[in-house]
Amino acid sequence: MNLVKENNISYKDIRKIKLGAVYTKNKTTFRVFAPKRDKINLVITDDYKKVRRNIYPMTKDARGIFTLSLEGDYDGYFYNYIVDDKYEVTDPYAVSASINSLYSAVVNLEDTDPVGFRESKSPQISEKEAIIYELSVKNYTADQSSGAYNRGKFLGLAEGDTTFKGISTGIDNIEDLGVTHVQILPIYDFISVDEDDSKFFDDDNYNWGYDPELYFAPEGSYSTNPLDPKSRIREAKQMVKAFHDRGICVIMDVVFNHTFKTIDSNLNTLAPKYYHRTNPDTSFSNGSGCGNELASEKPFVRKLIIDSLVHWAKEYKIDGFRFDLMALIDLKTIQIAIKELKKVNPNIIIYGEPWMALSSPLCYEQQIWKGRQKSNGFGVFNDDFRDAIKGDVDSYGKGYIQGIFHNKHAIETGIRGSIDYGDWNGFADDASETINYFNCHDNLILYDKLAISLEDTRDITSYAKLALGIIMLSFGKPFIYEGNEFNHSKKNDSNSYRSPLSVNAINWEEKKNNLELFNYTKDLIALRKSIEAFKYTSKEEIEDRLKFIQDLDESLVAYILDETYLVIINANVNPMWVCGDILEKYFVNKNEEKIVKIFDKEGINNISVEVAEGLSFEPLSVNVYYIGETYGL
């Protein structure tokens, strides 16, 4: 049944419909989309533990929407929908919930703002300047070494002045590092953990959160009081404000490709086989590999997705969204979402994974694979660059930094933003469309990947420095995962989505033991910010600003930025040398006898060197020179 087509309802009109519990002090109106259902009753109570509850019939209109208005102040009440006198489900548009999502909650959102939140502003950072740091709310402060009082919670991540043996931890570590954006693993309500606070640290009660239940409500387990529907909202906002107060934007990881439940989900119970894609035999299709996939191309599914995104952007001041398995979200939905989100925040960032787990019935032209993002205003993860840098994601394969030097051209392609033309086999029209990374929460973290792929691990930190240097000194958005800056290990667990905190949590002893790498990464980020060239992303601008030096050993990648900076990457385990004659011919309009080395394996420095004598490079090193005699960072 296509009610939209049959009743000539435009998508523009659908967007105007307010679903969920629309609260005012004097009245709350409940609306739910259930086109194939004959009867929906609202059940409501001031205490979800009560046996006796009030039940009210709802009225259905031609659009398939059931509506009921209740006079009075229902702030703090709990409600659900009873479907055809058989099933009871939560409201897909619920902005909060009881513990463990048993009931939806009516909430006066104006009563959930922390002091100063509504007046505070998002940092005005252009997406071309983004340096992204992925983390989990729970992982980052759950370990006792974090020094946080509210360990593993929204408020734990908002706490400042936390330390371990004299080093900064938590949000202070992120601010000190210098990244511009944090990408936070799912913080909407997910169903795969018990929200009871007494079970928060149980080994079998961990999950990354890629199991959606309520797309408009924050996750209760991250609240200090999951019994209070307002607590999770207020504390999520407090976390966002804490980052904003430090000049850091917040990107939210969203999972609109599937739901954790299928047949018994609130969506399928209310609108059977509408919200999920199906195969010709009416079984649920499974492009996600999780048993189902959302039919984003359908009008009311598209509305759910865009309404949720806009809700988080407006109510929580979220600055960007990362889409899980983005190939399962139709391109048209993403295009509309970007248009709506830019109205809220012109600097908002959208990107995602350009792949799916299994095949999907979604029209191929609407599937978002690498290349489909071209000139569409969003980015995708660059797995080509990732694998060229350090090899496959979970096994012993090697990449450029481990000595596979025939990957040099792929490395150069990644450095220049993976823009597609000529001999450069890229996938982007603009460097802003590529997320440059070597690991994320999925698969082996860099330290563990290096540990199994290197024959000699005694100098493993040099390889980590090499990987960090490559992505930070490339055109596109650099992206690192929590702890990459101090050799965090997940004990060789390549899929730790439900592994205990002993695997996933950040142990801040790692930072204490690898402070050299942290300082190197900090210096590297500061260096990237100081190089104006990286703020330019178009093909023409990059062509004007980037020149590769040819005829060097395959283990060397060298390029000049803005005729001002010389970058030389030595992936060899031996020292390397380049004669001055080769270098000087690339110094356009500059007959410099000396240049200044401003960065090497030790981080930022300021050392004048003679060009004519040639330049030597330490093994496994990233070296940056300023073409001139004076330099100041």
Side-chain angles (χ1 to χ4, degrees):
M1 183 195 316
N2 190 334
L3 288 172
V4 175
K5 183 176 180 180
E6 289 178 1
N7 294 287
N8 197 29
I9 304 172
S10 70
Y11 181 70
K12 184 177 180 181
D13 291 334
I14 290 174
R15 284 282 296 128
K16 295 178 182 177
I17 300 169
K18 291 185 177 181
L19 297 177
V22 182
Y23 169 85
T24 66
K25 190 171 182 63
N26 299 318
K27 179 177 71 174
T28 298
T29 299
F30 301 86
R31 296 190 188 92
V32 63
F33 178 65
K36 294 183 180 180
R37 294 303 189 182
D38 297 321
K39 182 180 181 181
I40 302 286
N41 286 336
L42 175 80
V43 56
I44 191 165
T45 176
D46 61 353
D47 184 347
Y48 73 92
K49 295 187 292 296
K50 283 185 176 179
V51 175
R52 295 183 180 277
R53 309 174 301 174
N54 293 326
I55 299 176
Y56 302 95
M58 303 181 76
T59 302
K60 185 179 183 180
D61 65 19
R63 303 169 299 182
I65 295 172
F66 287 80
T67 303
L68 172 70
S69 292
L70 295 179
E71 301 292 330
D73 188 352
Y74 282 87
D75 181 29
Y77 275 65
F78 298 92
Y79 72 100
N80 277 336
Y81 298 122
I82 298 176
V83 181
D84 288 346
D85 293 326
K86 296 179 180 179
Y87 318 103
E88 183 173 331
V89 293
T90 53
D91 182 357
Y93 273 72
V95 297
S96 194
S98 68
I99 190 170
N100 289 324
S101 314
L102 297 175
Y103 274 82
S104 317
V106 180
V107 173
N108 175 9
L109 289 171
E110 292 181 359
D111 192 37
T112 64
D113 287 347
V115 175
F117 178 79
R118 198 50 53 188
E119 299 76 29
S120 66
K121 302 294 183 182
S122 293
Q124 297 302 299
I125 302 173
S126 165
E127 71 165 296
K128 293 182 179 181
E129 301 175 80
I131 301 170
I132 302 168
Y133 186 94
E134 183 185 33
L135 61 86
S136 155
V137 169
K138 192 167 187 175
N139 290 356
Y140 217 64
T141 64
D143 193 83
Q144 289 185 346
S145 62
S146 72
Y149 178 77
N150 296 292
R151 292 190 293 122
K153 304 286 188 174
F154 289 130
L155 292 185
L157 197 49
E159 287 179 41
D161 300 321
T162 57
T163 61
F164 173 74
K165 295 182 179 179
I167 62 165
S168 61
T169 65
I171 195 171
D172 289 342
N173 177 79
I174 298 169
E175 182 182 24
D176 192 23
L177 194 59
V179 297
T180 63
H181 292 68
V182 291
Q183 177 197 302
I184 301 182
L185 268 64
I187 60 170
Y188 57 75
D189 182 72
F190 52 88
I191 202 67
S192 46
V193 300
D194 190 332
E195 294 180 348
D196 188 327
D197 209 40
S198 67
K199 299 178 181 179
F200 185 68
F201 292 105
D202 289 358
D203 281 352
D204 61 353
N205 196 40
Y206 178 94
N207 204 283
W208 282 340
Y210 293 87
D211 300 321
E213 179 69 5
L214 297 173
Y215 284 111
F216 293 76
E219 166 58 21
S221 69
Y222 293 154
S223 165
T224 60
N225 184 6
L227 295 170
D228 178 6
K230 291 184 179 178
S231 175
R232 63 183 69 189
I233 300 175
R234 188 177 294 111
E235 292 175 7
K237 290 177 177 178
Q238 186 65 48
M239 177 194 68
V240 174
K241 183 177 184 297
F243 280 110
H244 284 178
D245 286 349
R246 294 166 184 258
I248 301 169
C249 295
V250 179
I251 297 168
M252 180 177 172
D253 200 333
V254 290
V255 184
F256 292 115
N257 59 76
H258 78 284
T259 53
F260 179 74
K261 300 174 184 176
T262 303
I263 293 176
D264 60 341
S265 68
N266 51 13
L267 294 173
N268 191 65
T269 301
L270 289 163
K273 301 296 177 74
Y274 179 86
Y275 281 94
H276 297 87
R277 295 187 187 114
T278 56
N279 297 312
D281 64 358
T282 73
S283 63
F284 291 98
S285 56
N286 189 24
S288 68
C290 299
N292 66 80
E293 54 183 290
L294 282 184
S296 62
E297 67 279 11
K298 292 183 180 178
F300 276 89
V301 187
R302 178 174 289 164
K303 173 180 173 58
L304 174 79
I305 293 171
I306 295 174
D307 284 352
S308 173
L309 294 169
V310 171
H311 172 72
W312 287 98
K314 283 186 174 180
E315 188 64 33
Y316 294 84
K317 302 186 180 181
I318 295 294
D319 306 290
F321 297 94
R322 176 264 189 194
F323 285 76
D324 188 63
L325 297 185
M326 198 179 201
L328 290 172
I329 313 300
D330 69 287
L331 180 60
K332 185 65 175 177
T333 292
I334 296 296
Q335 290 170 328
I336 297 172
I338 292 171
K339 182 178 179 180
E340 295 299 320
L341 289 167
K342 291 288 186 181
K343 295 176 184 176
V344 180
N345 180 356
N347 291 317
I348 211 151
I349 294 178
I350 304 296
Y351 59 90
E353 295 178 311
W355 50 73
M356 59 181 69
L358 301 171
S359 61
S360 169
L362 174 63
C363 171
Y364 180 76
E365 288 71 23
Q366 287 293 305
Q367 295 176 11
I368 297 174
W369 299 93
K370 281 202 306 293
R372 203 57 58 81
Q373 87 297 328
K374 284 184 175 182
S375 298
N376 272 308
F378 66 94
V380 294
F381 281 91
N382 192 339
D383 55 334
D384 296 330
F385 201 15
R386 176 197 69 192
D387 294 349
I389 291 170
K390 51 83 179 168
D392 58 47
V393 292
D394 284 336
S395 190
Y396 303 94
K398 298 180 179 181
Y400 190 74
I401 65 173
Q402 299 111 314
I404 307 302
F405 299 139
H406 63 69
N407 283 357
K408 179 175 179 175
H409 186 71
I411 295 295
E412 292 178 337
T413 299
I415 288 170
R416 64 183 315 282
S418 295
I419 294 175
D420 182 18
Y421 71 97
D423 293 333
W424 306 98
N425 188 24
F427 60 85
D429 278 344
D430 190 279
S432 65
E433 298 169 0
T434 172
I435 305 298
N436 296 331
Y437 75 123
F438 46 71
N439 70 209
C440 62
H441 63 275
D442 281 322
N443 309 113
L444 288 177
I445 195 170
L446 179 65
Y447 181 86
D448 294 336
K449 168 64 183 180
L450 292 172
I452 68 168
S453 62
L454 294 172
E455 287 78 17
D456 185 348
T457 59
R458 288 176 295 178
D459 196 19
I460 197 169
T461 295
S462 289
Y463 291 92
K465 288 181 176 181
L466 202 57
L468 286 160
I470 291 172
I471 63 163
M472 287 295 171
L473 297 176
S474 297
F475 287 89
K477 296 183 180 71
F479 172 108
I480 61 175
Y481 178 64
E482 57 183 9
N484 280 149
E485 73 274 26
F486 45 74
N487 279 340
H488 175 48
S489 170
K490 292 201 285 183
K491 300 177 174 61
N492 213 33
D493 190 334
S494 63
N495 191 20
S496 63
Y497 75 100
R498 61 178 183 180
S499 300
L501 284 168
S502 58
V503 171
N504 280 294
I506 295 293
N507 182 339
W508 292 92
E509 184 83 49
E510 292 173 322
K511 181 180 178 182
K512 180 71 175 177
N513 295 337
N514 294 281
L515 204 53
E516 175 199 356
L517 181 57
F518 172 84
N519 288 329
Y520 173 91
T521 310
K522 176 181 175 179
D523 283 355
L524 192 55
I525 290 171
L527 176 64
R528 178 186 173 89
K529 288 181 173 179
S530 74
I531 299 176
E532 188 73 14
F534 292 124
K535 297 177 183 177
Y536 297 88
T537 59
S538 73
K539 168 186 168 182
E540 294 74 21
E541 288 167 336
I542 293 174
E543 280 302 288
D544 287 342
R545 296 172 181 275
L546 172 67
K547 292 180 175 60
F548 282 103
I549 296 175
Q550 306 299 326
D551 302 320
L552 299 180
D553 188 89
E554 286 292 286
S555 64
L556 295 176
V557 173
Y559 50 102
I560 291 178
L561 298 167
D562 280 343
E563 302 175 2
T564 304
Y565 297 93
L566 167 65
V567 181
I568 300 185
I569 299 165
N570 178 20
N572 205 303
V573 294
N574 299 307
M576 297 295 287
W577 180 82
V578 175
C579 71
D581 290 344
I582 292 178
L583 298 172
E584 287 178 328
K585 67 181 181 181
Y586 287 90
F587 295 173
V588 179
N589 297 325
K590 290 190 179 183
N591 297 313
E592 302 289 352
E593 295 181 359
K594 293 184 178 181
I595 60 176
V596 182
K597 182 164 69 169
I598 60 174
F599 187 87
D600 60 16
K601 287 183 77 170
E602 305 306 314
I604 288 175
N605 50 46
N606 196 321
I607 303 170
S608 182
V609 295
E610 297 280 350
V611 181
E613 296 176 0
L615 299 178
S616 60
F617 317 106
E618 291 183 84
L620 306 172
S621 65
V622 174
N623 308 271
V624 183
Y625 300 83
Y626 179 77
I627 304 172
E629 292 194 29
T630 59
Y631 174 77
L633 178 59

